[in-house]
Amino acid sequence: MIHVVLYEPEIPQNTGNIMRTCAAAGATLHLIEPLGFILDEKRVKRSVMDYSEELEVIRHVDWQAFVDQTKGPMFFLTRYGEYTHSDFDYASIDQDIYLVFGKESTGIPKDILKANYDHCFRIPMAPSARSMNLSNTVAICVFEVLRQKEYDGLSRVEVQKGKDFLKDYQ
């Protein structure tokens, strides 16, 4: 199972989009408090649409409370990582995988990153860019793990309208 961990997220629209990504990917979302918004805020609900019933969200009062209940390897997105998001062999991991993302303004605290240096990664980008949008980076990283695990548990065909909908479309 994939777990997306947001360390003190600040922007409700990003969190809403990430909730939708987690629902579509079958991932669990962990929110490390404090949050920079009220979770039931209108903008979050608009982003997540009607997927909220298919989504597991776990809130943690702080980083230590999260760490105390975590069972599986953690990987940390940071611009300071020396590995890329695709360098790790996620397919060989038979435990839950935790992808940790920092708050939009400052990222993950440097002491947490340093303590987990060998599991820090970055998404390659132009040298002049400091960062990308948080919800986009979550989607890139979640689907890299899923790609390596051959999209286990996900549908490869259209389900709602049927597998042959486009082929039969008139």
Side-chain angles (χ1 to χ4, degrees):
M1 162 143 339
I2 299 172
H3 298 261
V4 172
V5 182
L6 301 184
Y7 182 91
E8 299 180 4
E10 299 168 314
I11 300 174
Q13 296 91 333
N14 279 339
T15 300
N17 288 335
I18 292 164
M19 292 169 100
R20 191 170 174 187
T21 296
C22 286
T28 298
L29 178 62
H30 297 262
L31 300 174
I32 310 296
E33 296 181 357
L35 308 182
F37 52 88
I38 298 170
L39 189 57
D40 62 356
E41 196 167 313
K42 182 175 143 182
R43 290 174 287 186
V44 172
K45 288 189 175 189
R46 185 178 331 146
S47 297
V48 76
M49 294 176 44
D50 59 347
Y51 293 104
S52 59
E53 293 177 11
E54 301 171 28
L55 173 65
E56 181 178 5
V57 178
I58 302 170
R59 291 175 73 165
H60 305 274
V61 296
D62 59 24
W63 175 252
Q64 192 57 53
F66 165 73
V67 169
D68 289 345
Q69 68 84 47
T70 302
K71 293 178 173 61
M74 291 186 275
F75 300 89
F76 301 81
L77 177 71
T78 173
R79 67 191 238 195
Y80 307 111
E82 291 187 27
Y83 300 104
T84 72
H85 67 293
S86 55
D87 283 342
F88 295 103
D89 181 10
Y90 303 110
S92 69
I93 299 172
D94 60 358
Q95 300 173 282
D96 288 359
I97 294 172
Y98 293 82
L99 301 173
V100 184
F101 302 86
K103 64 170 105 179
E104 290 89 342
S105 63
T106 58
I108 301 167
K110 307 308 178 276
D111 57 329
I112 294 173
L113 294 174
K114 186 169 181 173
N116 296 281
Y117 186 77
D118 289 341
H119 279 176
C120 289
F121 67 90
R122 64 179 285 120
I123 296 173
M125 62 185 114
S128 60
R130 286 188 320 275
S131 65
M132 293 172 36
N133 175 273
L134 179 62
S135 64
N136 293 337
T137 61
V138 169
I140 290 168
C141 296
V142 165
F143 277 86
E144 173 59 21
V145 174
L146 289 169
R147 183 192 68 78
Q148 287 189 28
K149 291 188 169 279
E150 299 181 3
Y151 303 105
D152 184 41
L154 299 184
S155 176
R156 291 178 176 264
V157 299
E158 166 58 30
V159 175
Q160 283 82 27
K161 295 191 178 200
K163 177 176 94 100
D164 296 325
F165 174 78
L166 189 58
K167 184 171 65 174
D168 297 339
Y169 181 77
Q170 297 191 21

PDB file of all heavy atoms in Angstrom, residues 41-75:
ATOM      1  N   GLU A  41     -13.020  22.870   4.449  1.00  0.00           N
ATOM      2  CA  GLU A  41     -13.141  24.085   3.670  1.00  0.00           C
ATOM      3  C   GLU A  41     -13.673  23.790   2.263  1.00  0.00           C
ATOM      4  O   GLU A  41     -13.352  22.777   1.650  1.00  0.00           O
ATOM      5  CB  GLU A  41     -11.765  24.763   3.584  1.00  0.00           C
ATOM      6  CG  GLU A  41     -11.828  26.195   3.142  1.00  0.00           C
ATOM      7  CD  GLU A  41     -10.498  26.891   3.394  1.00  0.00           C
ATOM      8  OE1 GLU A  41      -9.950  26.756   4.494  1.00  0.00           O
ATOM      9  OE2 GLU A  41     -10.031  27.561   2.474  1.00  0.00           O
ATOM     10  N   LYS A  42     -14.501  24.684   1.754  1.00  0.00           N
ATOM     11  CA  LYS A  42     -15.172  24.521   0.468  1.00  0.00           C
ATOM     12  C   LYS A  42     -14.200  24.192  -0.669  1.00  0.00           C
ATOM     13  O   LYS A  42     -14.469  23.338  -1.505  1.00  0.00           O
ATOM     14  CB  LYS A  42     -15.945  25.800   0.168  1.00  0.00           C
ATOM     15  CG  LYS A  42     -16.738  25.796  -1.097  1.00  0.00           C
ATOM     16  CD  LYS A  42     -17.540  27.080  -1.172  1.00  0.00           C
ATOM     17  CE  LYS A  42     -17.609  27.575  -2.579  1.00  0.00           C
ATOM     18  NZ  LYS A  42     -18.322  28.837  -2.684  1.00  0.00           N
ATOM     19  N   ARG A  43     -13.051  24.834  -0.701  1.00  0.00           N
ATOM     20  CA  ARG A  43     -12.094  24.612  -1.792  1.00  0.00           C
ATOM     21  C   ARG A  43     -11.533  23.196  -1.790  1.00  0.00           C
ATOM     22  O   ARG A  43     -11.259  22.622  -2.829  1.00  0.00           O
ATOM     23  CB  ARG A  43     -10.974  25.636  -1.750  1.00  0.00           C
ATOM     24  CG  ARG A  43     -11.461  27.028  -2.133  1.00  0.00           C
ATOM     25  CD  ARG A  43     -10.383  28.036  -1.956  1.00  0.00           C
ATOM     26  NE  ARG A  43     -10.209  28.264  -0.518  1.00  0.00           N
ATOM     27  CZ  ARG A  43      -9.421  29.162   0.004  1.00  0.00           C
ATOM     28  NH1 ARG A  43      -8.674  29.912  -0.775  1.00  0.00           N
ATOM     29  NH2 ARG A  43      -9.338  29.324   1.288  1.00  0.00           N
ATOM     30  N   VAL A  44     -11.342  22.605  -0.601  1.00  0.00           N
ATOM     31  CA  VAL A  44     -10.862  21.232  -0.529  1.00  0.00           C
ATOM     32  C   VAL A  44     -11.931  20.301  -1.071  1.00  0.00           C
ATOM     33  O   VAL A  44     -11.662  19.425  -1.891  1.00  0.00           O
ATOM     34  CB  VAL A  44     -10.500  20.840   0.929  1.00  0.00           C
ATOM     35  CG1 VAL A  44     -10.200  19.358   1.021  1.00  0.00           C
ATOM     36  CG2 VAL A  44      -9.312  21.648   1.413  1.00  0.00           C
ATOM     37  N   LYS A  45     -13.162  20.486  -0.642  1.00  0.00           N
ATOM     38  CA  LYS A  45     -14.250  19.622  -1.088  1.00  0.00           C
ATOM     39  C   LYS A  45     -14.452  19.716  -2.592  1.00  0.00           C
ATOM     40  O   LYS A  45     -14.744  18.718  -3.246  1.00  0.00           O
ATOM     41  CB  LYS A  45     -15.534  19.962  -0.344  1.00  0.00           C
ATOM     42  CG  LYS A  45     -15.487  19.519   1.097  1.00  0.00           C
ATOM     43  CD  LYS A  45     -16.824  19.661   1.767  1.00  0.00           C
ATOM     44  CE  LYS A  45     -16.715  19.086   3.170  1.00  0.00           C
ATOM     45  NZ  LYS A  45     -17.975  18.973   3.820  1.00  0.00           N
ATOM     46  N   ARG A  46     -14.306  20.895  -3.171  1.00  0.00           N
ATOM     47  CA  ARG A  46     -14.469  21.045  -4.610  1.00  0.00           C
ATOM     48  C   ARG A  46     -13.395  20.261  -5.350  1.00  0.00           C
ATOM     49  O   ARG A  46     -13.648  19.630  -6.364  1.00  0.00           O
ATOM     50  CB  ARG A  46     -14.413  22.521  -5.001  1.00  0.00           C
ATOM     51  CG  ARG A  46     -14.704  22.725  -6.483  1.00  0.00           C
ATOM     52  CD  ARG A  46     -14.703  24.170  -6.909  1.00  0.00           C
ATOM     53  NE  ARG A  46     -15.081  25.091  -5.872  1.00  0.00           N
ATOM     54  CZ  ARG A  46     -14.590  26.317  -5.742  1.00  0.00           C
ATOM     55  NH1 ARG A  46     -13.705  26.760  -6.605  1.00  0.00           N
ATOM     56  NH2 ARG A  46     -14.965  27.105  -4.779  1.00  0.00           N
ATOM     57  N   SER A  47     -12.167  20.280  -4.862  1.00  0.00           N
ATOM     58  CA  SER A  47     -11.069  19.578  -5.532  1.00  0.00           C
ATOM     59  C   SER A  47     -11.218  18.066  -5.449  1.00  0.00           C
ATOM     60  O   SER A  47     -10.943  17.354  -6.409  1.00  0.00           O
ATOM     61  CB  SER A  47      -9.732  19.978  -4.916  1.00  0.00           C
ATOM     62  OG  SER A  47      -9.490  21.340  -5.097  1.00  0.00           O
ATOM     63  N   VAL A  48     -11.630  17.573  -4.294  1.00  0.00           N
ATOM     64  CA  VAL A  48     -11.708  16.122  -4.107  1.00  0.00           C
ATOM     65  C   VAL A  48     -12.969  15.543  -4.754  1.00  0.00           C
ATOM     66  O   VAL A  48     -13.067  14.345  -4.986  1.00  0.00           O
ATOM     67  CB  VAL A  48     -11.595  15.740  -2.611  1.00  0.00           C
ATOM     68  CG1 VAL A  48     -12.881  16.010  -1.866  1.00  0.00           C
ATOM     69  CG2 VAL A  48     -11.175  14.299  -2.439  1.00  0.00           C
ATOM     70  N   MET A  49     -13.922  16.391  -5.097  1.00  0.00           N
ATOM     71  CA  MET A  49     -15.181  16.009  -5.749  1.00  0.00           C
ATOM     72  C   MET A  49     -15.902  14.938  -4.936  1.00  0.00           C
ATOM     73  O   MET A  49     -15.994  15.042  -3.738  1.00  0.00           O
ATOM     74  CB  MET A  49     -14.911  15.576  -7.190  1.00  0.00           C
ATOM     75  CG  MET A  49     -14.414  16.724  -8.057  1.00  0.00           C
ATOM     76  SD  MET A  49     -13.966  16.293  -9.736  1.00  0.00           S
ATOM     77  CE  MET A  49     -15.245  15.232 -10.301  1.00  0.00           C
ATOM     78  N   ASP A  50     -16.399  13.926  -5.608  1.00  0.00           N
ATOM     79  CA  ASP A  50     -17.161  12.884  -4.913  1.00  0.00           C
ATOM     80  C   ASP A  50     -16.311  11.658  -4.576  1.00  0.00           C
ATOM     81  O   ASP A  50     -16.823  10.589  -4.330  1.00  0.00           O
ATOM     82  CB  ASP A  50     -18.379  12.470  -5.753  1.00  0.00           C
ATOM     83  CG  ASP A  50     -17.991  11.943  -7.115  1.00  0.00           C
ATOM     84  OD1 ASP A  50     -16.825  12.105  -7.523  1.00  0.00           O
ATOM     85  OD2 ASP A  50     -18.861  11.365  -7.780  1.00  0.00           O
ATOM     86  N   TYR A  51     -15.011  11.829  -4.561  1.00  0.00           N
ATOM     87  CA  TYR A  51     -14.118  10.721  -4.258  1.00  0.00           C
ATOM     88  C   TYR A  51     -13.868  10.548  -2.757  1.00  0.00           C
ATOM     89  O   TYR A  51     -13.188   9.614  -2.362  1.00  0.00           O
ATOM     90  CB  TYR A  51     -12.760  10.911  -4.951  1.00  0.00           C
ATOM     91  CG  TYR A  51     -12.827  10.827  -6.447  1.00  0.00           C
ATOM     92  CD1 TYR A  51     -12.770  11.969  -7.229  1.00  0.00           C
ATOM     93  CD2 TYR A  51     -12.928   9.600  -7.084  1.00  0.00           C
ATOM     94  CE1 TYR A  51     -12.821  11.897  -8.608  1.00  0.00           C
ATOM     95  CE2 TYR A  51     -12.981   9.518  -8.468  1.00  0.00           C
ATOM     96  CZ  TYR A  51     -12.931  10.670  -9.221  1.00  0.00           C
ATOM     97  OH  TYR A  51     -12.984  10.588 -10.572  1.00  0.00           O
ATOM     98  N   SER A  52     -14.371  11.433  -1.938  1.00  0.00           N
ATOM     99  CA  SER A  52     -14.027  11.405  -0.514  1.00  0.00           C
ATOM    100  C   SER A  52     -14.442  10.114   0.177  1.00  0.00           C
ATOM    101  O   SER A  52     -13.808   9.696   1.139  1.00  0.00           O
ATOM    102  CB  SER A  52     -14.627  12.618   0.207  1.00  0.00           C
ATOM    103  OG  SER A  52     -16.025  12.617   0.073  1.00  0.00           O
ATOM    104  N   GLU A  53     -15.470   9.452  -0.306  1.00  0.00           N
ATOM    105  CA  GLU A  53     -15.891   8.194   0.311  1.00  0.00           C
ATOM    106  C   GLU A  53     -14.926   7.052  -0.001  1.00  0.00           C
ATOM    107  O   GLU A  53     -14.921   6.036   0.681  1.00  0.00           O
ATOM    108  CB  GLU A  53     -17.307   7.843  -0.138  1.00  0.00           C
ATOM    109  CG  GLU A  53     -18.331   8.831   0.389  1.00  0.00           C
ATOM    110  CD  GLU A  53     -19.730   8.544  -0.104  1.00  0.00           C
ATOM    111  OE1 GLU A  53     -19.962   7.467  -0.688  1.00  0.00           O
ATOM    112  OE2 GLU A  53     -20.597   9.406   0.101  1.00  0.00           O
ATOM    113  N   GLU A  54     -14.129   7.200  -1.042  1.00  0.00           N
ATOM    114  CA  GLU A  54     -13.169   6.170  -1.431  1.00  0.00           C
ATOM    115  C   GLU A  54     -11.770   6.461  -0.891  1.00  0.00           C
ATOM    116  O   GLU A  54     -10.808   5.793  -1.270  1.00  0.00           O
ATOM    117  CB  GLU A  54     -13.108   6.081  -2.959  1.00  0.00           C
ATOM    118  CG  GLU A  54     -14.440   5.762  -3.592  1.00  0.00           C
ATOM    119  CD  GLU A  54     -14.402   5.897  -5.087  1.00  0.00           C
ATOM    120  OE1 GLU A  54     -13.336   5.710  -5.685  1.00  0.00           O
ATOM    121  OE2 GLU A  54     -15.457   6.198  -5.664  1.00  0.00           O
ATOM    122  N   LEU A  55     -11.666   7.417  -0.016  1.00  0.00           N
ATOM    123  CA  LEU A  55     -10.371   7.897   0.445  1.00  0.00           C
ATOM    124  C   LEU A  55     -10.222   7.711   1.946  1.00  0.00           C
ATOM    125  O   LEU A  55     -11.128   8.033   2.709  1.00  0.00           O
ATOM    126  CB  LEU A  55     -10.246   9.390   0.108  1.00  0.00           C
ATOM    127  CG  LEU A  55      -9.035  10.135   0.634  1.00  0.00           C
ATOM    128  CD1 LEU A  55      -7.760   9.594  -0.004  1.00  0.00           C
ATOM    129  CD2 LEU A  55      -9.179  11.611   0.335  1.00  0.00           C
ATOM    130  N   GLU A  56      -9.066   7.185   2.347  1.00  0.00           N
ATOM    131  CA  GLU A  56      -8.755   7.096   3.774  1.00  0.00           C
ATOM    132  C   GLU A  56      -7.796   8.228   4.117  1.00  0.00           C
ATOM    133  O   GLU A  56      -6.711   8.328   3.542  1.00  0.00           O
ATOM    134  CB  GLU A  56      -8.119   5.751   4.123  1.00  0.00           C
ATOM    135  CG  GLU A  56      -7.821   5.633   5.599  1.00  0.00           C
ATOM    136  CD  GLU A  56      -7.235   4.292   6.000  1.00  0.00           C
ATOM    137  OE1 GLU A  56      -6.954   3.454   5.122  1.00  0.00           O
ATOM    138  OE2 GLU A  56      -7.031   4.099   7.212  1.00  0.00           O
ATOM    139  N   VAL A  57      -8.222   9.087   5.049  1.00  0.00           N
ATOM    140  CA  VAL A  57      -7.402  10.198   5.520  1.00  0.00           C
ATOM    141  C   VAL A  57      -7.155   9.998   7.005  1.00  0.00           C
ATOM    142  O   VAL A  57      -8.098   9.818   7.775  1.00  0.00           O
ATOM    143  CB  VAL A  57      -8.088  11.565   5.287  1.00  0.00           C
ATOM    144  CG1 VAL A  57      -7.218  12.693   5.832  1.00  0.00           C
ATOM    145  CG2 VAL A  57      -8.376  11.771   3.813  1.00  0.00           C
ATOM    146  N   ILE A  58      -5.875  10.034   7.395  1.00  0.00           N
ATOM    147  CA  ILE A  58      -5.501   9.890   8.798  1.00  0.00           C
ATOM    148  C   ILE A  58      -4.779  11.160   9.217  1.00  0.00           C
ATOM    149  O   ILE A  58      -3.812  11.565   8.573  1.00  0.00           O
ATOM    150  CB  ILE A  58      -4.589   8.663   9.016  1.00  0.00           C
ATOM    151  CG1 ILE A  58      -5.299   7.383   8.525  1.00  0.00           C
ATOM    152  CG2 ILE A  58      -4.185   8.542  10.486  1.00  0.00           C
ATOM    153  CD1 ILE A  58      -4.405   6.168   8.476  1.00  0.00           C
ATOM    154  N   ARG A  59      -5.277  11.776  10.285  1.00  0.00           N
ATOM    155  CA  ARG A  59      -4.640  12.990  10.801  1.00  0.00           C
ATOM    156  C   ARG A  59      -3.769  12.642  11.998  1.00  0.00           C
ATOM    157  O   ARG A  59      -4.115  11.776  12.799  1.00  0.00           O
ATOM    158  CB  ARG A  59      -5.705  14.011  11.192  1.00  0.00           C
ATOM    159  CG  ARG A  59      -6.427  14.553   9.971  1.00  0.00           C
ATOM    160  CD  ARG A  59      -7.560  15.462  10.321  1.00  0.00           C
ATOM    161  NE  ARG A  59      -7.078  16.752  10.795  1.00  0.00           N
ATOM    162  CZ  ARG A  59      -7.843  17.821  10.888  1.00  0.00           C
ATOM    163  NH1 ARG A  59      -9.114  17.767  10.538  1.00  0.00           N
ATOM    164  NH2 ARG A  59      -7.345  18.963  11.319  1.00  0.00           N
ATOM    165  N   HIS A  60      -2.620  13.330  12.087  1.00  0.00           N
ATOM    166  CA  HIS A  60      -1.671  13.115  13.177  1.00  0.00           C
ATOM    167  C   HIS A  60      -1.399  14.462  13.832  1.00  0.00           C
ATOM    168  O   HIS A  60      -1.188  15.458  13.135  1.00  0.00           O
ATOM    169  CB  HIS A  60      -0.369  12.514  12.648  1.00  0.00           C
ATOM    170  CG  HIS A  60      -0.572  11.250  11.870  1.00  0.00           C
ATOM    171  ND1 HIS A  60      -0.643  10.021  12.469  1.00  0.00           N
ATOM    172  CD2 HIS A  60      -0.756  11.033  10.535  1.00  0.00           C
ATOM    173  CE1 HIS A  60      -0.843   9.096  11.536  1.00  0.00           C
ATOM    174  NE2 HIS A  60      -0.916   9.696  10.362  1.00  0.00           N
ATOM    175  N   VAL A  61      -1.349  14.498  15.143  1.00  0.00           N
ATOM    176  CA  VAL A  61      -1.184  15.771  15.855  1.00  0.00           C
ATOM    177  C   VAL A  61       0.181  16.392  15.614  1.00  0.00           C
ATOM    178  O   VAL A  61       0.332  17.608  15.717  1.00  0.00           O
ATOM    179  CB  VAL A  61      -1.452  15.640  17.369  1.00  0.00           C
ATOM    180  CG1 VAL A  61      -2.902  15.250  17.621  1.00  0.00           C
ATOM    181  CG2 VAL A  61      -0.510  14.655  18.025  1.00  0.00           C
ATOM    182  N   ASP A  62       1.181  15.578  15.297  1.00  0.00           N
ATOM    183  CA  ASP A  62       2.511  16.102  14.987  1.00  0.00           C
ATOM    184  C   ASP A  62       3.350  15.004  14.333  1.00  0.00           C
ATOM    185  O   ASP A  62       2.887  13.869  14.171  1.00  0.00           O
ATOM    186  CB  ASP A  62       3.208  16.668  16.233  1.00  0.00           C
ATOM    187  CG  ASP A  62       3.380  15.659  17.356  1.00  0.00           C
ATOM    188  OD1 ASP A  62       3.400  14.438  17.090  1.00  0.00           O
ATOM    189  OD2 ASP A  62       3.502  16.087  18.511  1.00  0.00           O
ATOM    190  N   TRP A  63       4.563  15.358  13.958  1.00  0.00           N
ATOM    191  CA  TRP A  63       5.455  14.429  13.265  1.00  0.00           C
ATOM    192  C   TRP A  63       5.730  13.185  14.104  1.00  0.00           C
ATOM    193  O   TRP A  63       5.693  12.065  13.606  1.00  0.00           O
ATOM    194  CB  TRP A  63       6.753  15.135  12.888  1.00  0.00           C
ATOM    195  CG  TRP A  63       7.775  14.215  12.286  1.00  0.00           C
ATOM    196  CD1 TRP A  63       8.925  13.773  12.863  1.00  0.00           C
ATOM    197  CD2 TRP A  63       7.715  13.612  10.993  1.00  0.00           C
ATOM    198  NE1 TRP A  63       9.595  12.933  12.007  1.00  0.00           N
ATOM    199  CE2 TRP A  63       8.861  12.817  10.845  1.00  0.00           C
ATOM    200  CE3 TRP A  63       6.801  13.660   9.940  1.00  0.00           C
ATOM    201  CZ2 TRP A  63       9.134  12.073   9.703  1.00  0.00           C
ATOM    202  CZ3 TRP A  63       7.062  12.925   8.793  1.00  0.00           C
ATOM    203  CH2 TRP A  63       8.215  12.142   8.690  1.00  0.00           C
ATOM    204  N   GLN A  64       6.012  13.362  15.379  1.00  0.00           N
ATOM    205  CA  GLN A  64       6.356  12.216  16.227  1.00  0.00           C
ATOM    206  C   GLN A  64       5.194  11.243  16.350  1.00  0.00           C
ATOM    207  O   GLN A  64       5.390  10.021  16.327  1.00  0.00           O
ATOM    208  CB  GLN A  64       6.809  12.675  17.619  1.00  0.00           C
ATOM    209  CG  GLN A  64       7.447  11.561  18.434  1.00  0.00           C
ATOM    210  CD  GLN A  64       8.648  10.926  17.723  1.00  0.00           C
ATOM    211  OE1 GLN A  64       9.574  11.614  17.313  1.00  0.00           O
ATOM    212  NE2 GLN A  64       8.646   9.606  17.576  1.00  0.00           N
ATOM    213  N   ALA A  65       3.980  11.745  16.437  1.00  0.00           N
ATOM    214  CA  ALA A  65       2.810  10.863  16.496  1.00  0.00           C
ATOM    215  C   ALA A  65       2.708  10.029  15.224  1.00  0.00           C
ATOM    216  O   ALA A  65       2.367   8.840  15.272  1.00  0.00           O
ATOM    217  CB  ALA A  65       1.541  11.686  16.703  1.00  0.00           C
ATOM    218  N   PHE A  66       3.023  10.632  14.087  1.00  0.00           N
ATOM    219  CA  PHE A  66       3.024   9.892  12.824  1.00  0.00           C
ATOM    220  C   PHE A  66       4.111   8.829  12.832  1.00  0.00           C
ATOM    221  O   PHE A  66       3.858   7.663  12.507  1.00  0.00           O
ATOM    222  CB  PHE A  66       3.215  10.847  11.639  1.00  0.00           C
ATOM    223  CG  PHE A  66       3.584  10.135  10.379  1.00  0.00           C
ATOM    224  CD1 PHE A  66       2.642   9.390   9.692  1.00  0.00           C
ATOM    225  CD2 PHE A  66       4.885  10.182   9.903  1.00  0.00           C
ATOM    226  CE1 PHE A  66       2.992   8.695   8.534  1.00  0.00           C
ATOM    227  CE2 PHE A  66       5.239   9.502   8.746  1.00  0.00           C
ATOM    228  CZ  PHE A  66       4.290   8.750   8.071  1.00  0.00           C
ATOM    229  N   VAL A  67       5.331   9.199  13.178  1.00  0.00           N
ATOM    230  CA  VAL A  67       6.458   8.270  13.168  1.00  0.00           C
ATOM    231  C   VAL A  67       6.181   7.083  14.089  1.00  0.00           C
ATOM    232  O   VAL A  67       6.501   5.937  13.744  1.00  0.00           O
ATOM    233  CB  VAL A  67       7.770   8.986  13.573  1.00  0.00           C
ATOM    234  CG1 VAL A  67       8.905   7.996  13.823  1.00  0.00           C
ATOM    235  CG2 VAL A  67       8.160   9.996  12.500  1.00  0.00           C
ATOM    236  N   ASP A  68       5.569   7.337  15.234  1.00  0.00           N
ATOM    237  CA  ASP A  68       5.296   6.273  16.204  1.00  0.00           C
ATOM    238  C   ASP A  68       4.381   5.185  15.655  1.00  0.00           C
ATOM    239  O   ASP A  68       4.425   4.044  16.117  1.00  0.00           O
ATOM    240  CB  ASP A  68       4.695   6.855  17.476  1.00  0.00           C
ATOM    241  CG  ASP A  68       5.700   7.657  18.291  1.00  0.00           C
ATOM    242  OD1 ASP A  68       6.918   7.542  18.033  1.00  0.00           O
ATOM    243  OD2 ASP A  68       5.267   8.412  19.178  1.00  0.00           O
ATOM    244  N   GLN A  69       3.553   5.488  14.676  1.00  0.00           N
ATOM    245  CA  GLN A  69       2.634   4.481  14.142  1.00  0.00           C
ATOM    246  C   GLN A  69       3.021   3.966  12.766  1.00  0.00           C
ATOM    247  O   GLN A  69       2.331   3.137  12.197  1.00  0.00           O
ATOM    248  CB  GLN A  69       1.205   5.028  14.129  1.00  0.00           C
ATOM    249  CG  GLN A  69       0.938   6.154  13.140  1.00  0.00           C
ATOM    250  CD  GLN A  69       0.624   5.670  11.740  1.00  0.00           C
ATOM    251  OE1 GLN A  69      -0.182   4.771  11.537  1.00  0.00           O
ATOM    252  NE2 GLN A  69       1.279   6.259  10.757  1.00  0.00           N
ATOM    253  N   THR A  70       4.136   4.439  12.214  1.00  0.00           N
ATOM    254  CA  THR A  70       4.538   4.067  10.864  1.00  0.00           C
ATOM    255  C   THR A  70       5.263   2.728  10.846  1.00  0.00           C
ATOM    256  O   THR A  70       6.182   2.514  11.632  1.00  0.00           O
ATOM    257  CB  THR A  70       5.454   5.157  10.266  1.00  0.00           C
ATOM    258  OG1 THR A  70       4.737   6.375  10.273  1.00  0.00           O
ATOM    259  CG2 THR A  70       5.876   4.825   8.860  1.00  0.00           C
ATOM    260  N   LYS A  71       4.822   1.868   9.917  1.00  0.00           N
ATOM    261  CA  LYS A  71       5.465   0.571   9.749  1.00  0.00           C
ATOM    262  C   LYS A  71       5.795   0.392   8.266  1.00  0.00           C
ATOM    263  O   LYS A  71       4.980  -0.095   7.504  1.00  0.00           O
ATOM    264  CB  LYS A  71       4.539  -0.539  10.231  1.00  0.00           C
ATOM    265  CG  LYS A  71       4.300  -0.521  11.721  1.00  0.00           C
ATOM    266  CD  LYS A  71       3.336  -1.623  12.125  1.00  0.00           C
ATOM    267  CE  LYS A  71       3.194  -1.765  13.601  1.00  0.00           C
ATOM    268  NZ  LYS A  71       2.708  -0.656  14.331  1.00  0.00           N
ATOM    269  N   GLY A  72       6.963   0.800   7.888  1.00  0.00           N
ATOM    270  CA  GLY A  72       7.390   0.691   6.498  1.00  0.00           C
ATOM    271  C   GLY A  72       8.364   1.800   6.171  1.00  0.00           C
ATOM    272  O   GLY A  72       8.483   2.780   6.901  1.00  0.00           O
ATOM    273  N   PRO A  73       9.070   1.660   5.049  1.00  0.00           N
ATOM    274  CA  PRO A  73      10.075   2.658   4.675  1.00  0.00           C
ATOM    275  C   PRO A  73       9.437   3.982   4.248  1.00  0.00           C
ATOM    276  O   PRO A  73       8.364   4.009   3.644  1.00  0.00           O
ATOM    277  CB  PRO A  73      10.819   2.007   3.519  1.00  0.00           C
ATOM    278  CG  PRO A  73       9.859   1.019   2.948  1.00  0.00           C
ATOM    279  CD  PRO A  73       9.010   0.554   4.092  1.00  0.00           C
ATOM    280  N   MET A  74      10.122   5.066   4.601  1.00  0.00           N
ATOM    281  CA  MET A  74       9.689   6.410   4.228  1.00  0.00           C
ATOM    282  C   MET A  74      10.683   6.980   3.214  1.00  0.00           C
ATOM    283  O   MET A  74      11.887   6.783   3.336  1.00  0.00           O
ATOM    284  CB  MET A  74       9.627   7.315   5.460  1.00  0.00           C
ATOM    285  CG  MET A  74       8.528   6.954   6.434  1.00  0.00           C
ATOM    286  SD  MET A  74       8.382   8.141   7.781  1.00  0.00           S
ATOM    287  CE  MET A  74       9.629   7.512   8.911  1.00  0.00           C
ATOM    288  N   PHE A  75      10.123   7.722   2.247  1.00  0.00           N
ATOM    289  CA  PHE A  75      10.914   8.400   1.227  1.00  0.00           C
ATOM    290  C   PHE A  75      10.495   9.863   1.230  1.00  0.00           C
ATOM    291  O   PHE A  75       9.303  10.168   1.311  1.00  0.00           O
ATOM    292  CB  PHE A  75      10.681   7.761  -0.147  1.00  0.00           C
ATOM    293  CG  PHE A  75      11.069   6.318  -0.186  1.00  0.00           C
ATOM    294  CD1 PHE A  75      10.162   5.330   0.153  1.00  0.00           C
ATOM    295  CD2 PHE A  75      12.360   5.942  -0.529  1.00  0.00           C
ATOM    296  CE1 PHE A  75      10.527   3.992   0.140  1.00  0.00           C
ATOM    297  CE2 PHE A  75      12.739   4.609  -0.544  1.00  0.00           C
ATOM    298  CZ  PHE A  75      11.815   3.629  -0.203  1.00  0.00           C
TER     299      PHE A  75
END
